[in-house]
């Protein structure tokens, strides 16, 4: 069977033909072989405790910008991928909003530590901040995250490229209107 022929219908047919024991064995194998599968089941089976999983994704973001030793490489693609990978495992909304804001907080910390970066960097931070704020509103989490969103804006006061102005506008449009 060619890879392009594999579809969800084909997969469902295969799974329906497997016994309960075969399915359990196959899921256990996926769990042991693939870290995202372990993360998925961690959040699914213990949604009240996502701290272990989110710490791993926060570490990826922090190490990209502000590692414990040396200078961060500041690869936006790596840090964004951590957020998107975490989103794929289906965490609770508060945890995903937390990680999205963390991405921006670390980016702000990076630019405050090393000086102005570039427009692409600020665009990425602005986009993630906007997505986080929209996500927070969509899930009615304003009371949980409003102060943190405001703190991010305050921490950008001395950053150029219109970065502070953009985040301030997003914040005011969202939190000063409700």
């Amino acid at each position: 069977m060619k890879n392009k022929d594999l579809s969800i219908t084909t997969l469902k047919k295969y799974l329906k033909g497997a016994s309960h024991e075969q399915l359990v064995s196959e899921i256990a194998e996926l769990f042991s072989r693939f870290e995202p599968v372990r993360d998925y089941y961690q959040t699914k089976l213990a949604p009240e405790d996502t701290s272990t999983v989110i710490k791993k994704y926060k570490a990826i973001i922090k190490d990209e910008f502000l590692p414990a030793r040396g200078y961060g490489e500041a690869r936006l693609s790596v840090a964004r991928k951590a957020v998107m990978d975490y989103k794929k495992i289906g965490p609770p909304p508060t945890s995903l909003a937390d990680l999205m804001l963390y991405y921006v907080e670390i980016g702000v910390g990076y630019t405050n530590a090393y000086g102005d970066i570039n427009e692409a960097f600020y665009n990425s931070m602005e986009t993630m901040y906007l997505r986080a704020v929209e996500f927070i509103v969509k899930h009615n989490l304003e009371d949980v995250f409003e102060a943190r969103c405001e703190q991010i804006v305050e921490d950008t006061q001395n950053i150029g490229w219109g970065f502070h102005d953009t985040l301030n506008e997003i914040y005011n449009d969202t939190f000063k209107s409700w």
Side-chain angles (χ1 to χ4, degrees), residues 30-31 33-43 53 56-57 81 85-86 88-90:
L30 291 170
F31 182 87
R33 291 182 69 191
F34 300 104
E35 196 169 349
V37 175
R38 285 191 298 275
D39 293 345
Y40 170 80
Y41 279 106
Q42 174 66 37
T43 59
V53 177
K56 178 173 54 176
Y57 290 93
K81 184 177 183 313
D85 287 349
Y86 186 67
K88 287 178 188 175
I89 64 171

Side-chain angles (χ1 to χ4, degrees), residues 1 9 16 24 28 50 53-54 56 61 72 84 87-88 104 107 118 120 136 149 157 159-160 177:
M1 173 185 313
T9 305
K16 284 179 182 178
V24 169
T50 60
V53 177
I54 198 169
K56 178 173 54 176
I61 295 167
M84 295 306 114
K87 182 179 181 180
K88 287 178 188 175
V104 180
N118 59 36
I136 287 164
C149 291
Q157 286 183 1
I159 299 175
S177 64

Side-chain angles (χ1 to χ4, degrees), residues 86-163:
Y86 186 67
K87 182 179 181 180
K88 287 178 188 175
I89 64 171
T94 53
S95 294
L96 182 55
D98 175 32
L99 189 65
M100 294 168 84
L101 290 177
Y102 185 78
Y103 173 92
V104 180
E105 290 166 336
I106 294 298
V108 170
Y110 179 79
T111 196
N112 280 330
Y114 298 108
D116 279 339
I117 312 300
N118 59 36
E119 187 175 4
F121 176 86
Y122 296 119
N123 286 342
S124 179
M125 295 299 140
E126 290 166 0
T127 299
M128 186 64 73
Y129 185 79
L130 176 61
R131 287 182 182 159
V133 167
E134 289 172 344
F135 185 82
I136 287 164
V137 169
K138 178 181 176 184
H139 293 280
N140 299 313
L141 299 169
E142 294 93 339
D143 291 339
V144 177
F145 291 106
E146 192 268 338
R148 195 164 157 198
C149 291
E150 182 179 27
Q151 186 62 53
I152 290 170
V153 173
E154 288 178 19
D155 292 344
T156 65
Q157 286 183 1
N158 297 317
I159 299 175
W161 294 84
F163 184 49

